Amino acid sequence: METLTLEKPQSLTAKDFSSDMEVKWCPGCGDYSILKQVQTVFPDLGIPKENFVFISGIGCSSRFSYYMDTYGMHSIHGRAAAIASGVKAANPELSVWVVSGDGDSMSIGGNHFIHLMRKNFDINYLMFNNQIYSLTKGQYSPTSEKGKITKTSPYGSIEEPFNPSELALGAKASFVARTLDRDPKHMQGILRRAHQHRGTSFVEVYQNCPVFNDGAFFAFSDKETKKEEALQLEDGKPLVFGNDENKGIILDGLTPVIVDLKEGGRGRDELWIHDEKDKTKANLIARFFDTAFDGQHFPRPFGVMYAEERPTYEDNMAAQIELQKEKKGKQPLQKILSGDKTWTIF
Amino acid sequence: METLTLEKPQSLTAKDFSSDMEVKWCPGCGDYSILKQVQTVFPDLGIPKENFVFISGIGCSSRFSYYMDTYGMHSIHGRAAAIASGVKAANPELSVWVVSGDGDSMSIGGNHFIHLMRKNFDINYLMFNNQIYSLTKGQYSPTSEKGKITKTSPYGSIEEPFNPSELALGAKASFVARTLDRDPKHMQGILRRAHQHRGTSFVEVYQNCPVFNDGAFFAFSDKETKKEEALQLEDGKPLVFGNDENKGIILDGLTPVIVDLKEGGRGRDELWIHDEKDKTKANLIARFFDTAFDGQHFPRPFGVMYAEERPTYEDNMAAQIELQKEKKGKQPLQKILSGDKTWTIF
Amino acid sequence: MDTIEKQREKIVAKKEVDHIVVRFSGDSGDGMQLTGMQFTDTAALYGNDLSTFPDFPSEIRAPIGTVAGVSGFQVHFGSREIFTPGDSYDVLVAMNAAALKVDLPKLRRGGIIIVNTQGFDKKNLGLAKYPPDADPLNDGTLSNYTIHAIDITKLTKECLVDSGLGTKEVERSKNMFVLGLLFWMFDKEMDHTIKFINDKFTKKPEIAEANIKVLQAGWNYGDNTEIFTTQFKIGPAKLPPGTYRNITGNQAIVVGLLAASEQSGLPLFIGSYPITPATDILHELSKYKGNGVKTFQAEDEIAGIASAIGASYTGSLAVTTTSGPGMALKTEAMGLATMLEIPLLIIDVQRGGPSTGLPTKTEQSDLLMAMFGRHGEAPLPVLAASTPSDCFNTVFEACKIAVEHMTPVILLSDGYIANGSEPWRFPNAEDLGTISNSFLQKANGADEELLPYKRNELFVRPWIKPGTKGLEHRIGGLEKQDETGNVSYEAANHEKMTMLRAAKIRAIENFIPLAAPDTGADHGRLLVLGWGSTYGAIKTAVKELLAEGEDVAHLHLHHINPFPKNLGELLNNYDKVLIPEMNSGQLLQLIRAKYLVPATGLSKVQGQPFTTAEIKEKMLQLLKA
Amino acid sequence: MDTIEKQREKIVAKKEVDHIVVRFSGDSGDGMQLTGMQFTDTAALYGNDLSTFPDFPSEIRAPIGTVAGVSGFQVHFGSREIFTPGDSYDVLVAMNAAALKVDLPKLRRGGIIIVNTQGFDKKNLGLAKYPPDADPLNDGTLSNYTIHAIDITKLTKECLVDSGLGTKEVERSKNMFVLGLLFWMFDKEMDHTIKFINDKFTKKPEIAEANIKVLQAGWNYGDNTEIFTTQFKIGPAKLPPGTYRNITGNQAIVVGLLAASEQSGLPLFIGSYPITPATDILHELSKYKGNGVKTFQAEDEIAGIASAIGASYTGSLAVTTTSGPGMALKTEAMGLATMLEIPLLIIDVQRGGPSTGLPTKTEQSDLLMAMFGRHGEAPLPVLAASTPSDCFNTVFEACKIAVEHMTPVILLSDGYIANGSEPWRFPNAEDLGTISNSFLQKANGADEELLPYKRNELFVRPWIKPGTKGLEHRIGGLEKQDETGNVSYEAANHEKMTMLRAAKIRAIENFIPLAAPDTGADHGRLLVLGWGSTYGAIKTAVKELLAEGEDVAHLHLHHINPFPKNLGELLNNYDKVLIPEMNSGQLLQLIRAKYLVPATGLSKVQGQPFTTAEIKEKMLQLLKA
Ligand SMILES: Cc1ncc(C[n+]2csc(CCOP(=O)(O)OP(=O)(O)O)c2C)c(N)n1
Ligand SMILES: Cc1ncc(C[n+]2csc(CCOP(=O)(O)OP(=O)(O)O)c2C)c(N)n1
Ligand code: SF4
Ligand code: SF4
Ligand SMILES: [Mg+2]
Ligand SMILES: [Mg+2]
């Protein structure tokens, strides 16, 4: 952080990032918190305000771009990733942020989503996951749990949901993290990490929709349940959770096992140490989402599951162009017009 | 197999499955072999000929459906999975097969592909992967290796390719396998397995395109290299490969390690035993594709990487309909017409 | 006892009127939609003819008290025939300052305003962006109207002091007070609403009781206080005898689809992706699992139509529903369905465009896309529904055409009729026509040859179900050889197939009714030619001018491709033709191109339906010219 | 020595002709495309005017010897002006039986046929589906033609016996024999081709040598054998003085884009997904990395246009290229770009439709989709290129309109001109017009307010680059408030914005040339109105009828939206208007609707361009009527 804060070109404040547009989310919507955290973090990123660009799709979440006093485009449903790719390819100087919903990203936008992960443009991708289509008033989304009663599933959804982190990893994401609307500090940290990561940073933000899917994630923020249900990941730290940190996770071969740190037996020393660069571990952690290894119930991981840099698309593109400029140089227009076979008539 | 063969309703032969359409692939195209294996396997599957349906997209590969004397639709680019979903949802009796190419499936069809894996219709999905767009005369595809020279990448592709098996697993595929045009017997086995699996069976078929990407997979079929470069997977069997079976793979914690079975030291007893139902292992095996664990070079796995049944979409749909029929019964049309609030004018 | 005394004393004038327009307006959270619907149902059940217009913002809940958050419900009911929700209203209920600001302009001079004073405190006036010390209730702004300023919130609270409910529940029931008051004003029974409340809150009797109490209180307030001196009496309408229900356009589409499925014996499959204002169709249909309806919420619009194509291929009655942006995404797949020549119903509930446009507002601007929005020569039948209940007939006919002529059919509705409602004299199931589907069972060519593209006299190819023994065959998007359906790049064949596909669609003109004026004579000085949801406004305008002795007529098109056979002649019977559309003149384009008649257009692109006045004005202008 | 003797003895008649059509026809593997192009280049370099028509199957390599596998290349060259590849040909080269079967019909009576006898053995005759014991070369089938049956394969082999090459290489070079022979027939120099061969095989000199040897052998064969007694002499054409190159439509588009980028100072970005026949544009552009061109092969067509929208938003000259099916998929995003009002070039190289249709054949059937294929009111400029070289001017102008009027622009080309070629007197870089782009640098409103949608007198809003300090703002697909660009659902504003967007496009009519006849007078009995690739056929037909004294003219539209201002008047100057199109009458529809002129259409939907004869015939018919 420090170094970045030092670079800070203009001294900006959170207010500098709030646009004059009236915020039109419902009272109590989790989106408000996300907006606040982004506006809190941005001044410290050391990026000139005019270099931030938000590209959003369509959905309650996607209204986000209207509320940031940066450059922004509220585009069309599911296409934000593809538009953002064009923005970044054309001008790598810009700090490009995508804001999208679970429907926008995982349903209609699924193809652009996986291709963005693969191509690895240096874009920060925030997916507000409320596990519902909200703007259209409450239909199940590809992240809604099986059995969910919604307007389009009056008898319960029959669909197996995506596990967004697992999907991103399967599509070769270089950065995968999860955070929560109700944990401001945590979110701020993740936003900073996403910004720092060179390459596509996929951040899933659990966001409460009080109107159509209220309380979907309270278990991960409520005092009573939080410690048992949420697992806070920190690079190099052991996987520990539970009321008064009494539970840990170890690896028994390939199988994650929850152990009681109070009792003796297998204990602290064996604990699984989180390693953001280990994709195998990242895959396992991602699967805590819905896999009951040996019938155990795992806490939901929050934090950076995976972060491993690899060349970005725009860097590869620039490098190739530079190389050709050296090798071939710029062909003069007249040469292009004439081609290599001409004849003259007098 | 046996049981199935017994059920055989009509005694069909491979010839019964070849249509009167002249096959128009280039001489030496790998597609011929795939067509032959499918026609060889089908008579034994115990399915009445008229219940087979092929849905293909667009590409050389997708011409496949014209050549099978079954019901078939040569649809549009990238949409075969979505059309097939409608076919299966509407008539679960049919044995639905999708034939698609790497571009058709992983590029324009990516969204329908991942959603099909998630929804898990009982559909057999054959992706002919020649790592190139052939019908359009040779552009790189999402499975082409980085650096590949093609018509659209004259200076080499700058894109990180998808790892199709990894993507399918990330999208919750319940069956993931790989086979090769040049290994007929193997392909026949995989086709049978795909058919037997209830749920979406994703089969990646390495297919040679002699015109635009010749020899892409020869290393896995040529006598000299095959044993070193290809790893044959069998459920319950150890991971062994190499000329005269002298190499094995063990798991050192989470890290696959290639060991020499000749020398003493870590040996046979520790060998990694393939377990099709173990998704963690499946993920690791899938990643042999391009991950150099500890800098080692891994052989390319062939066979069934993962197979774990879970309820199919059409079964869930049918069950829900049945339940409602019992609970509510069928509403008579007149009742639907009148609704529940009416008044009469005399 | 006491009250009865009062009542005796009070003299209440009962005023007979033949139609009234009421506008319920408040914050998105004030429950105006529900209030309006309850009032509507009661009026309907009583036998009034009516037309409604729900008008809400696209935000789920814009900030409370702001202009952006105003949600309105307009109902026009009467003892005479009603065709529109009304240009202006006689009574305006404004629950807060923003509501008044937004909806006052359309209240007719001398009209009645009922306001909830608590919605007019400093805070609310500020939120509604009234100037600092404006005081609309008292500063003369409303001098031209009869205003009833009531502290509805307070009265509601008082009436529920000892209900034991939380303030939230209590406040939420204030709309019942309004409803009760209006029931009194218009002399309506409350039983229907009381039943509704009891049914709705079976699990929460205390809430039910509270709501009913407040409803009653509202009624009493009108009955007791001296403020209200007039009750309006609107007798039942002289509608054709029969049994009626109230229905919205989207509901009518659902009923129509279920009827078509029943009458055709084909299983119903809908593959759709949610989008306003079409989603309700998917919502409604997904409740009919008991009838075996298969609803498939696809990952996107392309998968929606693609899955429907798959279902149709297997022999289902397949439908996909959407609105503008989704329609755009479906165009490539529509081309495939055109080539496959399979039945498919594509329903576009139009909204304000282009792009995301005005999602909750109405428009008719997808007509030319429906006609031409496909690459290559890909003609398809296009039908348009004109009123909420007409959606039933239109969707039923669309299914019939799709199945009997083996073609995708596009049905155009729009947000106005999709959400608006009207009384519907629904048919008897027995009286519904049938839809004949004939699946090919054996080879149709000489010596056992199967010819999937051999056409009958209507140029229609057979429908062949996978699973039918011996009829295995391949179809696809590449050009086909005539009859065999095999791939063919042959020049003459391509031209022939292009002509055959077009001829098949044109032939449908022989199965649709001839065009005839809906109102007025089949010749005259001015014909108003309409399509879709402009029906009510045009009809009212034409009726009024006819009454004023003008030589005008109204012809409404339900079939836009193909046009009715006799349309050309008919148009020539009038000196002038006016085409009002909620777009920049799209039907106009088609009519001029096809018949070379110098028709005039009247465009309205405001996301709002035409008013009768707007159409009358333009008509008079043309009549004078 | 010996040969020289022979040559001395042999008397060769030199016949002067002013134009000749040659058709090279063979199996996909026979290299006819390359042969044709080499012949074309040589004729071009020599100074002939010419027009070519490559005509190949959609299979990469259909089974050898079959009719499906026939690949043809037609070249029409002359000492006079040439506008089409020719209705029929004077010389047909048929490398096998299938080729003869497919292409014989269009060989003019008395024409010359050169066949490779080895392509006519039993096997090949069978593959070409000739009846069992047919023998076209000798059974009189060809009695009306001058036939030269040569065992080209054998001669080639003989000439390379000791080349040490494998049979495959040897056989592959037989097309060089044909080329050499034709060079002799038409008295052309071989240096260009020899140079081409040497360049191509620098790494394989032995192959180069072999090819040249065979080429020479072919020349000698014509020169020595008694069979060939006439050489044809086609002098250079009297083209306007200047320097020329030969160019295809797709190449011209690439050159045009690079020129527009240079003249506008905007970096070039292309976001596309491969599709026939547009892919070559992406191929070609991706070679220009050295010029900083950014080519992005997207995952699908939607991402193609979406990425281009992103690039345009940042200030690039953004382009997306496609054909019918891809065009259909881009429609939703086009709507967004229309709302955003940013420059964007959408190039549709049309092919046979609908659906996958006839991918390698030509058609003009996407016009109405280009005009109306978007939901809501979303008018866009539509331009059409008429010849291969005209693609340069058209694409350059399209970029100018997009950038200077801040709008997406649709450019229509088609497979015929995309792959066809003609000589082009390319301009000097200095003479190219400029394209002025003015990015907003500071707030444009009163007191420092930024108004992203404040328009200039042409209704054009400013282009604002992200990264520009102080101009941060938001845009999107929802309807916008006039000037501020903020979201607005306000009724009157929506109508105003709809009209402003339309007005902006209409205003472009003031910046495009007035319509004027390309050939013939500006009034008369019959006007042939064309657009796109029908140019050559119409022009030739009109010229010929003018020569025959008919009162006809040819007007060719390059701008379809908006139309040239004076088009209406002009059309009224003619008694009749004929509109030939490779579709079912799409421009016809637009012209009739807009001007109410009873124009007649001439449709051809065969995946093949019009012949001059077809157009002449229809013209004469109308002139007689
Ligand atoms: C092409 C298209 N299809 C459908 C819609 C309708 N639509 C708008 S937002 C949305 C889904 C919103 O869900 P999500 O992305 O999760 O965002 P949320 O509202 O929950 O934040 C849909 C289906 C649209 N605007 N455009
Ligand atoms: C909508 C659309 N976009 C593009 C195309 C052009 N196209 C046809 S096949 C193809 C890709 C083929 O590659 P693949 O799927 O790998 O099949 P292959 O030919 O290699 O077997 C493309 C881009 C098309 N037909 N339709
Ligand atoms: S509907 Fe839900 S997600 Fe949308 S603004 Fe309201 S609370 Fe937020
Ligand atoms: S181009 Fe390649 S993939 Fe296509 S048919 Fe020929 S060999 Fe097969
Ligand atoms: Mg959501
Ligand atoms: Mg491929």
Side-chain angles (χ1 to χ4, degrees), chain C residues 138-176:
Chain C
N138 310 305
D139 65 7
T141 313
L142 310 178
S143 49
N144 295 320
Y145 311 94
T146 315
I147 167 153
H148 299 298
I150 311 168
D151 191 337
I152 296 172
T153 313
K154 179 152 147 293
L155 290 166
T156 304
K157 283 180 176 155
E158 283 169 357
C159 136
L160 295 181
V161 262
D162 36 34
S163 68
L165 294 181
T167 29
K168 219 169 175 194
E169 278 83 4
V170 170
E171 292 224 351
R172 226 192 257 117
S173 55
K174 65 180 182 300
N175 59 329
M176 286 299 124

Side-chain angles (χ1 to χ4, degrees), chain C residues 437-451:
Chain C
N437 69 75
S438 49
F439 290 100
L440 194 67
Q441 297 304 345
K442 54 181 188 39
N444 56 345
D447 43 45
E448 294 307 290
E449 194 189 4
L450 172 63
L451 297 172

Side-chain angles (χ1 to χ4, degrees), chain A residues 31 58-62 77 100-105 108 128 130 132-136 141 207, chain C residues 273-276 301 325-326 329 351 356, chain D residues 332:
Chain A
D31 292 349
I58 297 289
C60 294
S61 34
S62 293
H77 197 32
S100 173
D102 46 314
D104 195 62
S105 290
I108 192 171
F128 299 3
N130 53 15
I132 194 85
Y133 290 169
S134 290
L135 189 65
T136 45
S141 91
Q207 171 247 326
Chain C
Y273 186 70
I275 185 166
T276 308
E301 282 85 354
L329 288 168
R351 65 188 216 184
T356 313
Chain D
E332 191 210 359

Side-chain angles (χ1 to χ4, degrees), chain B residues 31 58-62 76-77 79 100-105 108 128 130 132-136 139 141 207, chain C residues 332, chain D residues 273-276 301 325-326 329 351 356:
Chain B
D31 293 347
I58 297 288
C60 293
S61 34
S62 293
I76 45 178
H77 197 33
R79 316 304 171 187
S100 173
D102 46 314
D104 195 62
S105 292
I108 192 170
F128 300 4
N130 53 16
I132 194 86
Y133 290 171
S134 289
L135 188 64
T136 45
Q139 301 81 23
S141 92
Q207 170 247 327
Chain C
E332 191 210 359
Chain D
Y273 186 71
I275 185 166
T276 307
E301 281 86 354
L329 288 168
R351 64 188 216 182
T356 313

